[in-house]
Amino acid sequence: DAGVTQSPTHLIKTRGQQVTLRCSPKSGHDTVSWYQQALGQGPQFIFQYYEEEERQRGNFPDRFSGHQYPNYSSELNVNALLLGDSALYLCASSRDRLYEQYFGPGTRLTVT
Amino acid sequence: AQSVTQLDSHVSVSEGTPVLLRCNYSSSYSPSLFWYVQHPNKGLQLLLKYTSAATLVKGINGFEAEFKKSETSFHLTKPSAHMSDAAEYFCVVSHSGGGADGLTFGKGTHLIIQP
């Protein structure tokens, strides 16, 4: 049984560009959350998707947007990239509200 | 609002000696508390969780943590450190019972194991 998978593993973008990161949840999970982990820091919650809708959102600007598909996979989009967006982006999945989150290995985004 | 404070950014112990990683929390709700571990170039792994049942929680790999409401603490301990325990440890709070809502992470404690 595959766990949470994310693609790509690494990405380099230029300031002002847009990026899309992808996540496939663990089998049987229907809820996907995204986190940003800057170097040397703990992950910060960006938002959570359930039933194809954004259910919760952390303190991130609307340059950060997402989508969830009927098969529960999810995308994180970031527009107008800033140097400060360089981070490890983690996806986590869970089975409804009652169960803990399982994390993927992350996508390392570098903005130059 | 909820937050966690990990009191030590780095902890260094010798192999075979006890480990103590300290965490204090703040929450407006009855919190659920977790410890996650992150090994280099690997995903976050759940060590243990407290969700208002027994205050002493046992996790994987010999780790345990005790919820102390009066001290608003949730310290992580292990009786005997192993080299494979070297990693980054995060104390996490959530106000949902299972931790399925957005999690609030501490800044992490880097555990170093000396041979």
Side-chain angles (χ1 to χ4, degrees), chain A residues 15-79:
Chain A
R15 273 179 299 175
Q17 285 188 317
Q18 178 264 345
V19 69
T20 297
L21 311 181
R22 295 178 174 83
C23 171
S24 292
K26 187 175 167 61
S27 178
H29 288 186
D30 57 9
T31 301
V32 173
S33 302
W34 287 92
Y35 294 81
Q36 181 196 66
Q37 186 177 17
L39 200 61
Q41 301 294 317
Q44 286 194 288
F45 174 65
I46 302 174
F47 45 52
Q48 184 179 82
Y49 276 82
Y50 173 70
E51 292 188 341
E52 303 180 50
E53 291 192 359
E54 184 181 293
R55 184 167 72 180
Q56 274 192 301
R57 190 178 183 94
N59 189 25
F60 278 80
D62 57 11
R63 297 188 298 110
F64 290 76
S65 63
H67 188 80
Q68 186 179 35
Y69 294 93
N71 67 353
Y72 308 119
S73 67
S74 177
E75 291 179 351
L76 164 65
N77 301 294
V78 187
N79 294 324

Side-chain angles (χ1 to χ4, degrees), chain A residues 35 37 48 56 97 100-101, chain B residues 38 49 99-103:
Chain A
Y35 294 81
Q37 186 177 17
Q48 184 179 82
Q56 274 192 301
R97 296 177 62 89
E100 64 264 23
Q101 297 181 35
Chain B
Q38 189 174 37
K49 64 179 180 180
D101 282 350
L103 303 174

Side-chain angles (χ1 to χ4, degrees), chain B residues 54-77:
Chain B
T55 56
L56 183 61
V57 181
K58 293 188 183 300
I60 61 172
N61 300 334
F63 285 95
E64 63 181 39
E66 186 171 7
F67 174 72
K68 292 187 176 181
K69 187 174 181 179
S70 61
E71 299 177 10
T72 61
S73 69
F74 190 58
H75 301 335
L76 181 71
T77 60

Side-chain angles (χ1 to χ4, degrees), chain A residues 95-108:
Chain A
R95 182 159 61 98
D96 67 46
R97 296 177 62 89
L98 300 178
Y99 299 93
E100 64 264 23
Q101 297 181 35
Y102 289 78
F103 284 81
T107 293
R108 174 74 63 188

